[in-house]
Amino acid sequence: MDFKRLTIVVGHYGTGKTEIAINYARFIRESGKEVEIVDLDIVNPYFRSREVRKELFDKWRIRVTGVEEKYMNADVPAISRNIYGALYSKEKYAVFDVGGDDVGAIPLGQYHHIIKDQEAEVLFVINVNRPLTKDVKSVIDYLKSIEEAAKIKVTHLVNNTHLSYETTVEDILKGQKVVEEVSKITGIPIKMVTLKRELLNQVPDLGYPIFPIDLYMKTPWDKI
């Protein structure tokens, strides 16, 4: 599976954007490229890539930037100027973990004039188990609202239908039907189908790349 120098991950809250951003950065790193994660989620206090920045750097030498470290636990718009390094670099790859919904996508819009001239891929992550993206129409409406807020066009769709640790193969197959119909209507191709690594050998051939992921994000009660 190929990748661009810039990968931008957008979608509804709870779709698993952050997990995909982390695992995709790992995939790029294991391909021999230097890569960083740009955490642009300034609206959600939970499930942010900066929560595991130490683990990512210690294990994979993947840096997390985007929010000043002294503000990493704050829910405030404190975006680091280091983001420009990721945008303009000629060699380093970057995966942007963007906040959920159209509100979370707004911070990305301020960089659209830079991104449009870059080698970039915009992944729209879909989880049809979320109430506001449960069918074809709602997914397309959500996609358009994020495009408008971020001032950017989605280039690929990702089926990441899940129920966290309770995800089944049936969830993935249900999501795939919706995602394929969205792709047919919008003309936006499907990049991949993501799933927990332990389900890898249980899913039939869907005709698209399967991308197994490890789960990094923990709920506050799981950390106790």
Side-chain angles (χ1 to χ4, degrees):
M1 188 167 60
D2 64 341
F3 50 85
K4 303 296 185 182
R5 195 187 71 77
L6 299 181
T7 302
I8 299 166
V9 185
V10 299
H12 179 26
Y13 288 119
T15 55
K17 300 185 311 303
T18 295
E19 297 285 15
I20 290 175
I22 291 172
N23 281 271
Y24 205 71
R26 267 187 55 186
F27 167 64
I28 295 173
R29 186 74 182 93
E30 290 169 348
S31 300
K33 304 295 185 182
E34 186 178 358
V35 61
E36 65 182 307
I37 296 173
V38 178
D39 185 348
L40 273 185
D41 191 346
I42 62 172
V43 296
N44 182 16
Y46 304 115
F47 308 115
R48 301 175 297 192
S49 51
R50 55 187 177 269
E51 303 293 338
V52 291
R53 65 167 69 197
K54 185 177 187 304
E55 179 182 358
L56 291 175
F57 184 76
D58 290 347
K59 288 186 177 180
W60 308 100
R61 288 299 184 264
I62 297 173
R63 294 186 182 277
V64 178
T65 187
V67 174
E68 296 286 359
E69 187 152 2
K70 62 184 177 180
Y71 297 124
M72 67 170 290
N73 292 316
D75 188 17
V76 295
I79 298 176
S80 170
R81 288 175 294 179
N82 292 336
I83 188 174
Y84 289 101
L87 287 170
Y88 284 115
S89 175
K90 298 297 184 182
E91 299 180 357
K92 182 184 292 185
Y93 287 66
V95 178
F96 285 69
D97 179 13
V98 181
D101 302 344
D102 53 345
V103 174
I106 288 174
L108 183 65
Q110 65 186 300
Y111 307 109
H112 78 280
H113 62 291
I114 303 173
I115 294 171
K116 69 182 180 62
D117 295 325
Q118 302 290 319
E119 184 184 9
E121 191 168 54
V122 183
L123 307 182
F124 181 71
V125 181
I126 301 168
N127 177 6
V128 304
N129 284 332
R130 298 296 293 168
L132 297 181
T133 53
K134 63 183 179 180
D135 54 35
V136 172
K137 182 181 184 304
S138 60
V139 170
I140 293 176
D141 288 345
Y142 233 97
L143 185 154
K144 290 180 178 178
S145 70
I146 288 177
E147 285 185 328
E148 182 177 353
K151 302 178 183 178
I152 198 169
K153 290 294 184 181
V154 169
T155 65
H156 291 85
L157 307 175
V158 175
N159 175 20
N160 190 47
T161 298
H162 69 91
L163 285 171
S164 187
Y165 293 97
E166 305 301 320
T167 305
T168 66
V169 173
E170 287 69 30
D171 289 312
I172 297 164
L173 298 180
K174 178 180 71 172
Q176 189 63 18
K177 290 181 181 179
V178 173
V179 174
E180 288 183 4
E181 186 64 20
V182 170
S183 177
K184 180 180 178 181
I185 293 173
T186 63
I188 301 172
I190 298 172
K191 174 75 174 182
M192 58 189 176
V193 179
T194 58
L195 43 76
K196 294 187 302 179
R197 192 173 298 276
E198 52 264 40
L199 294 177
L200 181 59
N201 295 324
Q202 301 178 38
V203 175
D205 183 8
L206 298 175
Y208 299 95
I210 300 294
F211 187 70
I213 63 174
D214 299 307
L215 302 182
Y216 287 84
M217 296 291 101
K218 292 182 173 61
T219 60
W221 48 91
D222 287 331
K223 298 177 184 178
I224 298 175

PDB file of all heavy atoms in Angstrom, residues 98-129:
ATOM      1  N   VAL A  98      -6.496  14.876  12.963  1.00  0.00           N
ATOM      2  CA  VAL A  98      -7.361  16.051  13.024  1.00  0.00           C
ATOM      3  C   VAL A  98      -8.541  15.792  13.955  1.00  0.00           C
ATOM      4  O   VAL A  98      -9.056  14.675  14.049  1.00  0.00           O
ATOM      5  CB  VAL A  98      -7.868  16.420  11.617  1.00  0.00           C
ATOM      6  CG1 VAL A  98      -8.762  17.658  11.662  1.00  0.00           C
ATOM      7  CG2 VAL A  98      -6.678  16.644  10.680  1.00  0.00           C
ATOM      8  N   GLY A  99      -8.999  16.828  14.666  1.00  0.00           N
ATOM      9  CA  GLY A  99     -10.133  16.709  15.569  1.00  0.00           C
ATOM     10  C   GLY A  99     -11.391  16.261  14.855  1.00  0.00           C
ATOM     11  O   GLY A  99     -11.552  16.448  13.645  1.00  0.00           O
ATOM     12  N   GLY A 100     -12.298  15.659  15.615  1.00  0.00           N
ATOM     13  CA  GLY A 100     -13.508  15.112  15.030  1.00  0.00           C
ATOM     14  C   GLY A 100     -14.517  16.161  14.596  1.00  0.00           C
ATOM     15  O   GLY A 100     -14.540  17.283  15.099  1.00  0.00           O
ATOM     16  N   ASP A 101     -15.331  15.775  13.629  1.00  0.00           N
ATOM     17  CA  ASP A 101     -16.437  16.603  13.137  1.00  0.00           C
ATOM     18  C   ASP A 101     -15.944  17.853  12.402  1.00  0.00           C
ATOM     19  O   ASP A 101     -14.757  18.091  12.251  1.00  0.00           O
ATOM     20  CB  ASP A 101     -17.380  16.987  14.274  1.00  0.00           C
ATOM     21  CG  ASP A 101     -17.952  15.754  14.974  1.00  0.00           C
ATOM     22  OD1 ASP A 101     -17.867  14.669  14.395  1.00  0.00           O
ATOM     23  OD2 ASP A 101     -18.468  15.898  16.083  1.00  0.00           O
ATOM     24  N   ASP A 102     -16.903  18.677  11.964  1.00  0.00           N
ATOM     25  CA  ASP A 102     -16.541  19.892  11.246  1.00  0.00           C
ATOM     26  C   ASP A 102     -15.859  20.893  12.168  1.00  0.00           C
ATOM     27  O   ASP A 102     -14.944  21.612  11.751  1.00  0.00           O
ATOM     28  CB  ASP A 102     -17.765  20.516  10.576  1.00  0.00           C
ATOM     29  CG  ASP A 102     -18.918  20.751  11.545  1.00  0.00           C
ATOM     30  OD1 ASP A 102     -18.891  20.177  12.658  1.00  0.00           O
ATOM     31  OD2 ASP A 102     -19.853  21.489  11.192  1.00  0.00           O
ATOM     32  N   VAL A 103     -16.253  20.942  13.451  1.00  0.00           N
ATOM     33  CA  VAL A 103     -15.625  21.869  14.385  1.00  0.00           C
ATOM     34  C   VAL A 103     -14.154  21.502  14.586  1.00  0.00           C
ATOM     35  O   VAL A 103     -13.275  22.359  14.567  1.00  0.00           O
ATOM     36  CB  VAL A 103     -16.363  21.861  15.741  1.00  0.00           C
ATOM     37  CG1 VAL A 103     -15.609  22.717  16.751  1.00  0.00           C
ATOM     38  CG2 VAL A 103     -17.781  22.373  15.568  1.00  0.00           C
ATOM     39  N   GLY A 104     -13.879  20.221  14.768  1.00  0.00           N
ATOM     40  CA  GLY A 104     -12.501  19.786  14.948  1.00  0.00           C
ATOM     41  C   GLY A 104     -11.647  19.964  13.710  1.00  0.00           C
ATOM     42  O   GLY A 104     -10.419  20.059  13.799  1.00  0.00           O
ATOM     43  N   ALA A 105     -12.286  20.009  12.537  1.00  0.00           N
ATOM     44  CA  ALA A 105     -11.548  20.152  11.285  1.00  0.00           C
ATOM     45  C   ALA A 105     -11.190  21.596  10.956  1.00  0.00           C
ATOM     46  O   ALA A 105     -10.347  21.849  10.088  1.00  0.00           O
ATOM     47  CB  ALA A 105     -12.360  19.552  10.131  1.00  0.00           C
ATOM     48  N   ILE A 106     -11.809  22.546  11.649  1.00  0.00           N
ATOM     49  CA  ILE A 106     -11.565  23.962  11.358  1.00  0.00           C
ATOM     50  C   ILE A 106     -10.086  24.344  11.462  1.00  0.00           C
ATOM     51  O   ILE A 106      -9.581  25.077  10.591  1.00  0.00           O
ATOM     52  CB  ILE A 106     -12.434  24.856  12.271  1.00  0.00           C
ATOM     53  CG1 ILE A 106     -13.898  24.771  11.826  1.00  0.00           C
ATOM     54  CG2 ILE A 106     -11.966  26.309  12.238  1.00  0.00           C
ATOM     55  CD1 ILE A 106     -14.870  25.504  12.747  1.00  0.00           C
ATOM     56  N   PRO A 107      -9.338  23.900  12.501  1.00  0.00           N
ATOM     57  CA  PRO A 107      -7.919  24.289  12.583  1.00  0.00           C
ATOM     58  C   PRO A 107      -7.107  23.895  11.349  1.00  0.00           C
ATOM     59  O   PRO A 107      -6.150  24.578  10.989  1.00  0.00           O
ATOM     60  CB  PRO A 107      -7.419  23.540  13.823  1.00  0.00           C
ATOM     61  CG  PRO A 107      -8.631  23.395  14.670  1.00  0.00           C
ATOM     62  CD  PRO A 107      -9.757  23.146  13.701  1.00  0.00           C
ATOM     63  N   LEU A 108      -7.509  22.804  10.692  1.00  0.00           N
ATOM     64  CA  LEU A 108      -6.786  22.393   9.489  1.00  0.00           C
ATOM     65  C   LEU A 108      -6.974  23.400   8.364  1.00  0.00           C
ATOM     66  O   LEU A 108      -6.079  23.590   7.534  1.00  0.00           O
ATOM     67  CB  LEU A 108      -7.278  21.016   9.045  1.00  0.00           C
ATOM     68  CG  LEU A 108      -6.583  20.394   7.827  1.00  0.00           C
ATOM     69  CD1 LEU A 108      -5.120  20.091   8.143  1.00  0.00           C
ATOM     70  CD2 LEU A 108      -7.305  19.111   7.404  1.00  0.00           C
ATOM     71  N   GLY A 109      -8.120  24.078   8.348  1.00  0.00           N
ATOM     72  CA  GLY A 109      -8.419  25.002   7.266  1.00  0.00           C
ATOM     73  C   GLY A 109      -7.426  26.131   7.130  1.00  0.00           C
ATOM     74  O   GLY A 109      -7.210  26.648   6.019  1.00  0.00           O
ATOM     75  N   GLN A 110      -6.791  26.533   8.241  1.00  0.00           N
ATOM     76  CA  GLN A 110      -5.844  27.642   8.148  1.00  0.00           C
ATOM     77  C   GLN A 110      -4.584  27.282   7.365  1.00  0.00           C
ATOM     78  O   GLN A 110      -3.800  28.161   7.003  1.00  0.00           O
ATOM     79  CB  GLN A 110      -5.463  28.113   9.549  1.00  0.00           C
ATOM     80  CG  GLN A 110      -4.713  27.112  10.391  1.00  0.00           C
ATOM     81  CD  GLN A 110      -4.485  27.592  11.806  1.00  0.00           C
ATOM     82  OE1 GLN A 110      -3.854  28.629  12.021  1.00  0.00           O
ATOM     83  NE2 GLN A 110      -5.015  26.869  12.776  1.00  0.00           N
ATOM     84  N   TYR A 111      -4.393  25.995   7.110  1.00  0.00           N
ATOM     85  CA  TYR A 111      -3.204  25.550   6.377  1.00  0.00           C
ATOM     86  C   TYR A 111      -3.540  25.070   4.960  1.00  0.00           C
ATOM     87  O   TYR A 111      -2.673  24.534   4.276  1.00  0.00           O
ATOM     88  CB  TYR A 111      -2.518  24.406   7.132  1.00  0.00           C
ATOM     89  CG  TYR A 111      -2.203  24.730   8.571  1.00  0.00           C
ATOM     90  CD1 TYR A 111      -2.908  24.128   9.616  1.00  0.00           C
ATOM     91  CD2 TYR A 111      -1.200  25.640   8.901  1.00  0.00           C
ATOM     92  CE1 TYR A 111      -2.629  24.431  10.940  1.00  0.00           C
ATOM     93  CE2 TYR A 111      -0.916  25.947  10.227  1.00  0.00           C
ATOM     94  CZ  TYR A 111      -1.636  25.339  11.240  1.00  0.00           C
ATOM     95  OH  TYR A 111      -1.356  25.638  12.552  1.00  0.00           O
ATOM     96  N   HIS A 112      -4.771  25.270   4.530  1.00  0.00           N
ATOM     97  CA  HIS A 112      -5.178  24.703   3.246  1.00  0.00           C
ATOM     98  C   HIS A 112      -4.374  25.268   2.084  1.00  0.00           C
ATOM     99  O   HIS A 112      -4.119  24.570   1.096  1.00  0.00           O
ATOM    100  CB  HIS A 112      -6.682  24.928   2.999  1.00  0.00           C
ATOM    101  CG  HIS A 112      -7.028  26.316   2.553  1.00  0.00           C
ATOM    102  ND1 HIS A 112      -7.145  27.380   3.429  1.00  0.00           N
ATOM    103  CD2 HIS A 112      -7.266  26.819   1.308  1.00  0.00           C
ATOM    104  CE1 HIS A 112      -7.460  28.469   2.751  1.00  0.00           C
ATOM    105  NE2 HIS A 112      -7.543  28.161   1.466  1.00  0.00           N
ATOM    106  N   HIS A 113      -3.949  26.522   2.189  1.00  0.00           N
ATOM    107  CA  HIS A 113      -3.187  27.130   1.100  1.00  0.00           C
ATOM    108  C   HIS A 113      -1.804  26.499   0.965  1.00  0.00           C
ATOM    109  O   HIS A 113      -1.180  26.571  -0.106  1.00  0.00           O
ATOM    110  CB  HIS A 113      -3.060  28.632   1.327  1.00  0.00           C
ATOM    111  CG  HIS A 113      -2.317  28.999   2.576  1.00  0.00           C
ATOM    112  ND1 HIS A 113      -2.824  28.771   3.842  1.00  0.00           N
ATOM    113  CD2 HIS A 113      -1.088  29.571   2.766  1.00  0.00           C
ATOM    114  CE1 HIS A 113      -1.947  29.186   4.746  1.00  0.00           C
ATOM    115  NE2 HIS A 113      -0.906  29.672   4.130  1.00  0.00           N
ATOM    116  N   ILE A 114      -1.328  25.875   2.037  1.00  0.00           N
ATOM    117  CA  ILE A 114      -0.040  25.169   1.990  1.00  0.00           C
ATOM    118  C   ILE A 114      -0.255  23.732   1.529  1.00  0.00           C
ATOM    119  O   ILE A 114       0.457  23.226   0.657  1.00  0.00           O
ATOM    120  CB  ILE A 114       0.639  25.183   3.373  1.00  0.00           C
ATOM    121  CG1 ILE A 114       0.842  26.609   3.867  1.00  0.00           C
ATOM    122  CG2 ILE A 114       1.976  24.431   3.324  1.00  0.00           C
ATOM    123  CD1 ILE A 114       1.363  26.698   5.289  1.00  0.00           C
ATOM    124  N   ILE A 115      -1.259  23.087   2.101  1.00  0.00           N
ATOM    125  CA  ILE A 115      -1.503  21.670   1.825  1.00  0.00           C
ATOM    126  C   ILE A 115      -1.837  21.439   0.357  1.00  0.00           C
ATOM    127  O   ILE A 115      -1.436  20.432  -0.232  1.00  0.00           O
ATOM    128  CB  ILE A 115      -2.632  21.145   2.723  1.00  0.00           C
ATOM    129  CG1 ILE A 115      -2.178  21.169   4.190  1.00  0.00           C
ATOM    130  CG2 ILE A 115      -3.039  19.728   2.330  1.00  0.00           C
ATOM    131  CD1 ILE A 115      -3.279  20.872   5.185  1.00  0.00           C
ATOM    132  N   LYS A 116      -2.566  22.373  -0.256  1.00  0.00           N
ATOM    133  CA  LYS A 116      -2.995  22.164  -1.643  1.00  0.00           C
ATOM    134  C   LYS A 116      -1.824  22.057  -2.610  1.00  0.00           C
ATOM    135  O   LYS A 116      -1.967  21.495  -3.709  1.00  0.00           O
ATOM    136  CB  LYS A 116      -3.946  23.277  -2.081  1.00  0.00           C
ATOM    137  CG  LYS A 116      -3.302  24.657  -2.224  1.00  0.00           C
ATOM    138  CD  LYS A 116      -4.335  25.700  -2.619  1.00  0.00           C
ATOM    139  CE  LYS A 116      -3.738  27.088  -2.772  1.00  0.00           C
ATOM    140  NZ  LYS A 116      -2.726  27.180  -3.827  1.00  0.00           N
ATOM    141  N   ASP A 117      -0.678  22.564  -2.223  1.00  0.00           N
ATOM    142  CA  ASP A 117       0.506  22.501  -3.087  1.00  0.00           C
ATOM    143  C   ASP A 117       1.452  21.374  -2.683  1.00  0.00           C
ATOM    144  O   ASP A 117       2.547  21.262  -3.222  1.00  0.00           O
ATOM    145  CB  ASP A 117       1.268  23.833  -3.039  1.00  0.00           C
ATOM    146  CG  ASP A 117       0.452  24.977  -3.623  1.00  0.00           C
ATOM    147  OD1 ASP A 117      -0.298  24.729  -4.584  1.00  0.00           O
ATOM    148  OD2 ASP A 117       0.559  26.108  -3.106  1.00  0.00           O
ATOM    149  N   GLN A 118       1.027  20.541  -1.717  1.00  0.00           N
ATOM    150  CA  GLN A 118       1.868  19.460  -1.230  1.00  0.00           C
ATOM    151  C   GLN A 118       1.390  18.110  -1.769  1.00  0.00           C
ATOM    152  O   GLN A 118       0.269  17.975  -2.280  1.00  0.00           O
ATOM    153  CB  GLN A 118       1.848  19.428   0.309  1.00  0.00           C
ATOM    154  CG  GLN A 118       2.299  20.718   0.972  1.00  0.00           C
ATOM    155  CD  GLN A 118       3.779  20.969   0.801  1.00  0.00           C
ATOM    156  OE1 GLN A 118       4.587  20.058   0.901  1.00  0.00           O
ATOM    157  NE2 GLN A 118       4.138  22.208   0.547  1.00  0.00           N
ATOM    158  N   GLU A 119       2.237  17.099  -1.584  1.00  0.00           N
ATOM    159  CA  GLU A 119       1.857  15.730  -1.906  1.00  0.00           C
ATOM    160  C   GLU A 119       1.077  15.193  -0.696  1.00  0.00           C
ATOM    161  O   GLU A 119       1.656  14.740   0.287  1.00  0.00           O
ATOM    162  CB  GLU A 119       3.100  14.882  -2.158  1.00  0.00           C
ATOM    163  CG  GLU A 119       2.808  13.464  -2.599  1.00  0.00           C
ATOM    164  CD  GLU A 119       4.073  12.638  -2.749  1.00  0.00           C
ATOM    165  OE1 GLU A 119       5.142  13.118  -2.352  1.00  0.00           O
ATOM    166  OE2 GLU A 119       3.965  11.512  -3.247  1.00  0.00           O
ATOM    167  N   ALA A 120      -0.242  15.289  -0.768  1.00  0.00           N
ATOM    168  CA  ALA A 120      -1.058  14.983   0.411  1.00  0.00           C
ATOM    169  C   ALA A 120      -2.183  14.010   0.086  1.00  0.00           C
ATOM    170  O   ALA A 120      -2.710  13.977  -1.028  1.00  0.00           O
ATOM    171  CB  ALA A 120      -1.645  16.266   0.999  1.00  0.00           C
ATOM    172  N   GLU A 121      -2.541  13.224   1.099  1.00  0.00           N
ATOM    173  CA  GLU A 121      -3.639  12.281   1.011  1.00  0.00           C
ATOM    174  C   GLU A 121      -4.565  12.545   2.194  1.00  0.00           C
ATOM    175  O   GLU A 121      -4.106  12.659   3.333  1.00  0.00           O
ATOM    176  CB  GLU A 121      -3.073  10.864   1.084  1.00  0.00           C
ATOM    177  CG  GLU A 121      -4.028   9.750   0.754  1.00  0.00           C
ATOM    178  CD  GLU A 121      -3.288   8.436   0.585  1.00  0.00           C
ATOM    179  OE1 GLU A 121      -2.546   8.042   1.508  1.00  0.00           O
ATOM    180  OE2 GLU A 121      -3.443   7.805  -0.468  1.00  0.00           O
ATOM    181  N   VAL A 122      -5.858  12.681   1.933  1.00  0.00           N
ATOM    182  CA  VAL A 122      -6.826  12.981   2.980  1.00  0.00           C
ATOM    183  C   VAL A 122      -7.732  11.763   3.162  1.00  0.00           C
ATOM    184  O   VAL A 122      -8.521  11.421   2.279  1.00  0.00           O
ATOM    185  CB  VAL A 122      -7.664  14.226   2.638  1.00  0.00           C
ATOM    186  CG1 VAL A 122      -8.625  14.550   3.782  1.00  0.00           C
ATOM    187  CG2 VAL A 122      -6.753  15.418   2.345  1.00  0.00           C
ATOM    188  N   LEU A 123      -7.604  11.109   4.316  1.00  0.00           N
ATOM    189  CA  LEU A 123      -8.360   9.897   4.601  1.00  0.00           C
ATOM    190  C   LEU A 123      -9.579  10.228   5.453  1.00  0.00           C
ATOM    191  O   LEU A 123      -9.442  10.766   6.561  1.00  0.00           O
ATOM    192  CB  LEU A 123      -7.483   8.882   5.334  1.00  0.00           C
ATOM    193  CG  LEU A 123      -6.142   8.518   4.686  1.00  0.00           C
ATOM    194  CD1 LEU A 123      -5.422   7.471   5.529  1.00  0.00           C
ATOM    195  CD2 LEU A 123      -6.332   8.030   3.256  1.00  0.00           C
ATOM    196  N   PHE A 124     -10.759   9.891   4.969  1.00  0.00           N
ATOM    197  CA  PHE A 124     -11.991  10.079   5.729  1.00  0.00           C
ATOM    198  C   PHE A 124     -12.363   8.745   6.360  1.00  0.00           C
ATOM    199  O   PHE A 124     -12.696   7.775   5.666  1.00  0.00           O
ATOM    200  CB  PHE A 124     -13.114  10.573   4.821  1.00  0.00           C
ATOM    201  CG  PHE A 124     -14.410  10.820   5.531  1.00  0.00           C
ATOM    202  CD1 PHE A 124     -14.544  11.895   6.391  1.00  0.00           C
ATOM    203  CD2 PHE A 124     -15.503   9.994   5.333  1.00  0.00           C
ATOM    204  CE1 PHE A 124     -15.748  12.135   7.059  1.00  0.00           C
ATOM    205  CE2 PHE A 124     -16.707  10.225   5.983  1.00  0.00           C
ATOM    206  CZ  PHE A 124     -16.824  11.296   6.850  1.00  0.00           C
ATOM    207  N   VAL A 125     -12.288   8.687   7.690  1.00  0.00           N
ATOM    208  CA  VAL A 125     -12.499   7.442   8.420  1.00  0.00           C
ATOM    209  C   VAL A 125     -13.982   7.281   8.748  1.00  0.00           C
ATOM    210  O   VAL A 125     -14.617   8.204   9.271  1.00  0.00           O
ATOM    211  CB  VAL A 125     -11.662   7.425   9.715  1.00  0.00           C
ATOM    212  CG1 VAL A 125     -11.857   6.114  10.453  1.00  0.00           C
ATOM    213  CG2 VAL A 125     -10.185   7.644   9.396  1.00  0.00           C
ATOM    214  N   ILE A 126     -14.520   6.101   8.448  1.00  0.00           N
ATOM    215  CA  ILE A 126     -15.950   5.848   8.612  1.00  0.00           C
ATOM    216  C   ILE A 126     -16.182   4.701   9.590  1.00  0.00           C
ATOM    217  O   ILE A 126     -15.613   3.616   9.445  1.00  0.00           O
ATOM    218  CB  ILE A 126     -16.603   5.508   7.255  1.00  0.00           C
ATOM    219  CG1 ILE A 126     -16.415   6.666   6.267  1.00  0.00           C
ATOM    220  CG2 ILE A 126     -18.087   5.176   7.432  1.00  0.00           C
ATOM    221  CD1 ILE A 126     -16.758   6.326   4.835  1.00  0.00           C
ATOM    222  N   ASN A 127     -17.030   4.962  10.576  1.00  0.00           N
ATOM    223  CA  ASN A 127     -17.485   3.941  11.515  1.00  0.00           C
ATOM    224  C   ASN A 127     -19.006   4.012  11.538  1.00  0.00           C
ATOM    225  O   ASN A 127     -19.576   4.909  12.158  1.00  0.00           O
ATOM    226  CB  ASN A 127     -16.905   4.197  12.907  1.00  0.00           C
ATOM    227  CG  ASN A 127     -17.407   3.201  13.943  1.00  0.00           C
ATOM    228  OD1 ASN A 127     -18.107   2.244  13.624  1.00  0.00           O
ATOM    229  ND2 ASN A 127     -17.039   3.425  15.204  1.00  0.00           N
ATOM    230  N   VAL A 128     -19.671   3.083  10.875  1.00  0.00           N
ATOM    231  CA  VAL A 128     -21.128   3.169  10.760  1.00  0.00           C
ATOM    232  C   VAL A 128     -21.831   2.805  12.068  1.00  0.00           C
ATOM    233  O   VAL A 128     -23.065   2.893  12.149  1.00  0.00           O
ATOM    234  CB  VAL A 128     -21.670   2.294   9.602  1.00  0.00           C
ATOM    235  CG1 VAL A 128     -21.014   2.676   8.290  1.00  0.00           C
ATOM    236  CG2 VAL A 128     -21.503   0.811   9.903  1.00  0.00           C
ATOM    237  N   ASN A 129     -21.059   2.422  13.081  1.00  0.00           N
ATOM    238  CA  ASN A 129     -21.652   2.194  14.400  1.00  0.00           C
ATOM    239  C   ASN A 129     -21.808   3.486  15.203  1.00  0.00           C
ATOM    240  O   ASN A 129     -22.300   3.457  16.330  1.00  0.00           O
ATOM    241  CB  ASN A 129     -20.817   1.191  15.205  1.00  0.00           C
ATOM    242  CG  ASN A 129     -21.036  -0.238  14.723  1.00  0.00           C
ATOM    243  OD1 ASN A 129     -22.098  -0.571  14.202  1.00  0.00           O
ATOM    244  ND2 ASN A 129     -20.042  -1.085  14.878  1.00  0.00           N
TER     245      ASN A 129
END
